[in-house]
Amino acid sequence: MGKTETEYEVIVIGAGLAGLLTAWYLKEAGKKVLILESGTVASGQTGRTTAKITSQHGLKYDTLIKKIGKERAGLYAGANQKAIDAYEELIQENQIDCEFKRCPAYLYTTAKVNSGLLKREADAAKSLGIPAYFTTETELPFAVEGAVCFEDQARFLPLEFVGALAEGLEIRENCQVIGIKGNRVITREGMLEAEKIVVAAHYPFRNLPGFYFLRQHQERSYVLKLSGCPEYTGMYLGIDQDGLSLRQAGDFLLLGGGSHRTGENQEGGKYTFLETAVKKYFPEARIEDRWSAQDCMPHDGIPFIGQFSYFTPNLYVITGFQKWGMTSSMVAAQLIRDAICGRENPYAKVFTPQRCHIRAGMENFLADAGVSVKGLAGGMFTKRHRCTHMGCKLTRNRDEQSWDCPCHGSRFDSKGKLLDNPAIKNRD
Ligand SMILES: Cc1cc2nc3c(=O)[nH]c(=O)nc-3n(C[C@H](O)[C@H](O)[C@H](O)COP(=O)(O)OP(=O)(O)OC[C@H]3O[C@@H](n4cnc5c(N)ncnc54)[C@H](O)[C@@H]3O)c2cc1C
């Protein structure tokens, strides 16, 4: 390995939305920053998001208040609400052409039994300062039993936005990080050193310290891009088993759904499920494109943003966005900037990876541990279909023809090429 490069104050690993925004704010604060990206800019989950910019993170606030208390739940809500304003400000100040638009966000149900959940969610969100209300009026092509509207949320075209951010940043693409030792970042091409290192690689590829592989799993969802649909003002997400996600993107409608834990789609049928919904609700529509993506689901329902572990004061992590990475990336970027620049940030205590929300996450921790033990045991009896992360048994994803890990969510194509981390190596 050649000589170590030492000219950067901060190295950010990953050029998804989280890494790019973090580098942007650090650069604005006067830091010399380099981003290392294993693929190309936004080649990870950011390139496949539906990009609703909202503090409406599914059914969140009623549960959060019960699990972590009103004060902390209020900080979570406040941080994500402020993130929407921060996007608007950044986009306006830098004249970024990305169709940023304010719009309402709705959670809906078609099941009577679930409408009470939405009423409680509306009350909880309102009590935390979010402009929220319960309604039964929506633009959806079917009747709902209830919906929670969050007013004044937003949407944009994420690729136009990240493209503009990337132009002003120093980024090394096709540069995979394979290790971190102290202040050194190890890539296949050589070593770099920085005072601070930020792991914004979606799922941290480093297992210890931090133990993120024990603290979250990944979930995958499917999207169709439709033309020929009526234009939607609001953004929608169904809370029922067969719930759909809808949001206007330019002239197209993005229709999403079919969520499952990564590694648990042997039967397939997720795209078929969406196609059936298109036939039923948008018979005039044409399917222009389709894709799927995944995100990290932390046990206590809160992203990990801050110091990677107690033992690594110069190493930071951003992960665990639960499919709500737009506002979460903005929250993360500002938190990490403030941590590195030695500024106080009132939201840090909610998102710190060193938090102790045992009660809030125990049930999910135990369920995840069960899946991992099963995956690891299965891996001992197979040679061909083992994950290169920790050796769990991979399963076939029929919709994507990929081999996916139920334990931590790494994915490989049929030839063994790595598609999604935390693994960093291809399969033989
Ligand atoms: C179907 C779907 C729809 C979604 N819709 C929404 C939505 O409407 N609103 C919302 O808020 N959120 C949404 N999300 C979530 C959101 O898209 C993600 O949370 C967000 O894009 C994650 O950004 P990121 O920067 O953390 O990760 P990524 O975009 O995956 O970026 C991480 C980057 O790190 C790179 N990398 C990984 N390992 C290494 C390494 N070892 N060395 C160097 N580089 C590395 C990767 O190549 C990648 O480019 C959705 C998620 C899914 C699955």
Side-chain angles (χ1 to χ4, degrees):
M1 206 164 275
K3 100 180 190 336
T4 305
E5 290 183 55
T6 56
E7 65 201 89
Y8 299 97
E9 287 172 281
V10 186
I11 289 176
V12 176
I13 303 167
L17 186 61
L20 290 163
L21 273 174
T22 302
W24 172 276
Y25 280 109
L26 282 166
K27 185 180 171 200
E28 200 186 54
K31 299 289 178 191
K32 187 154 171 52
V33 189
L34 173 68
I35 303 182
L36 300 176
E37 163 58 51
S38 59
T40 52
V41 168
S43 59
Q45 311 313 319
T46 298
R48 287 168 252 151
T49 184
T50 51
K52 300 170 182 164
I53 307 176
T54 176
S55 63
Q56 187 181 71
H57 294 180
L59 278 176
K60 188 94 212 161
Y61 295 102
D62 187 44
T63 312
L64 211 54
I65 291 172
K66 286 180 187 131
K67 290 197 162 168
I68 63 168
K70 193 156 180 194
E71 193 237 351
R72 283 182 183 232
L75 287 171
Y76 183 101
N80 284 286
Q81 277 287 112
K82 266 185 74 177
I84 307 170
D85 300 337
Y87 271 108
E88 189 162 38
E89 210 174 288
L90 195 160
I91 288 164
Q92 275 175 5
E93 266 177 20
N94 296 281
Q95 296 179 8
I96 298 176
D97 188 6
C98 61
E99 296 187 17
F100 178 90
K101 225 183 203 151
R102 289 280 181 169
C103 57
Y106 295 83
L107 281 180
Y108 74 85
T109 180
T110 55
K112 209 173 196 116
V113 61
N114 284 337
S115 68
L117 285 175
L118 291 181
K119 281 188 187 136
R120 284 204 295 280
E121 184 66 8
D123 289 344
K126 209 167 154 194
S127 78
L128 300 175
I130 294 173
Y133 64 90
F134 179 84
T135 179
T136 48
E137 301 287 313
T138 72
E139 310 154 272
L140 292 168
F142 44 81
V144 301
E145 289 292 340
V148 181
C149 175
F150 283 18
E151 295 174 294
D152 221 16
Q153 309 293 295
R155 63 183 200 232
F156 68 166
L157 299 179
L159 292 183
E160 277 72 357
F161 178 75
V162 296
L165 285 191
E167 270 175 32
L169 297 168
E170 193 172 340
I171 305 171
R172 233 171 261 181
E173 295 185 318
N174 302 309
C175 181
Q176 190 192 27
V177 174
I178 52 173
I180 300 168
K181 266 199 184 144
N183 285 25
R184 287 181 173 182
V185 171
I186 305 159
T187 74
R188 297 201 190 276
E189 287 76 38
M191 220 132 53
L192 297 100
E193 199 172 280
E195 288 161 27
K196 308 280 182 185
I197 299 163
V198 183
V199 181
H202 190 241
Y203 198 121
F205 51 86
R206 184 179 176 168
N207 291 332
L208 302 175
F211 296 93
Y212 293 97
F213 68 100
L214 291 177
R215 303 167 82 182
Q216 57 181 4
H217 68 266
Q218 298 204 59
E219 268 186 30
R220 202 156 185 88
S221 306
Y222 299 75
V223 182
L224 300 182
K225 178 177 166 183
L226 306 177
S227 62
C229 297
E231 191 164 329
Y232 275 73
T233 310
M235 308 182 288
Y236 292 87
L237 181 66
I239 63 162
D240 310 323
Q241 187 74 28
D242 58 352
L244 297 168
S245 159
L246 294 95
R247 89 83 141 171
Q248 194 70 32
D251 293 336
F252 302 100
L253 185 69
L254 301 183
L255 182 77
S259 203
H260 63 85
R261 184 183 178 119
T262 303
E264 292 184 353
N265 191 32
Q266 283 121 301
E267 304 286 307
K270 304 300 179 191
Y271 286 123
T272 312
F273 159 72
L274 290 176
E275 283 160 7
T276 307
V278 173
K279 279 194 199 125
K280 193 164 166 193
Y281 302 123
F282 305 103
E284 310 289 314
R286 247 185 58 184
I287 298 173
E288 303 287 345
D289 202 356
R290 67 184 59 205
W291 64 85
S292 65
Q294 64 189 33
D295 214 352
C296 306
M297 314 301 285
H299 296 148
D300 63 1
I302 300 173
F304 299 109
I305 305 167
Q307 201 171 304
F308 199 95
S309 82
Y310 282 116
F311 311 106
T312 54
N314 297 319
L315 183 63
Y316 298 85
V317 68
I318 301 172
T319 189
F321 287 167
Q322 329 152 76
K323 300 190 196 162
W324 298 111
M326 300 302 108
T327 54
S328 304
S329 288
M330 181 59 85
V331 171
Q334 299 191 347
L335 277 170
I336 298 292
R337 172 203 57 198
D338 291 350
I340 287 179
C341 296
R343 302 180 195 167
E344 282 285 312
N345 186 313
Y347 305 115
K349 67 178 177 188
V350 179
F351 298 94
T352 173
Q354 282 74 54
R355 64 184 177 251
C356 184
H357 292 160
I358 291 178
R359 203 164 63 91
M362 185 49 83
E363 218 175 287
N364 295 331
F365 170 78
L366 293 174
D368 263 7
V371 176
S372 294
V373 168
K374 197 169 150 216
L376 281 166
M380 286 193 248
F381 299 103
T382 178
K383 270 208 168 122
R384 276 197 63 216
H385 297 125
R386 290 183 70 193
C387 182
T388 59
H389 175 226
M390 294 183 79
C392 292
K393 186 176 178 195
L394 301 170
T395 62
R396 185 92 164 139
N397 178 340
R398 238 173 231 288
D399 284 303
E400 294 297 355
Q401 304 301 314
S402 57
W403 286 90
D404 302 357
C405 177
C407 300
H408 311 106
S410 300
R411 297 178 61 248
F412 303 83
D413 73 10
S414 53
K415 297 206 167 90
K417 184 171 174 279
L418 179 66
L419 297 173
D420 284 309
N421 64 359
I424 51 173
K425 277 195 283 192
N426 293 336
R427 215 158 50 82
D428 293 333

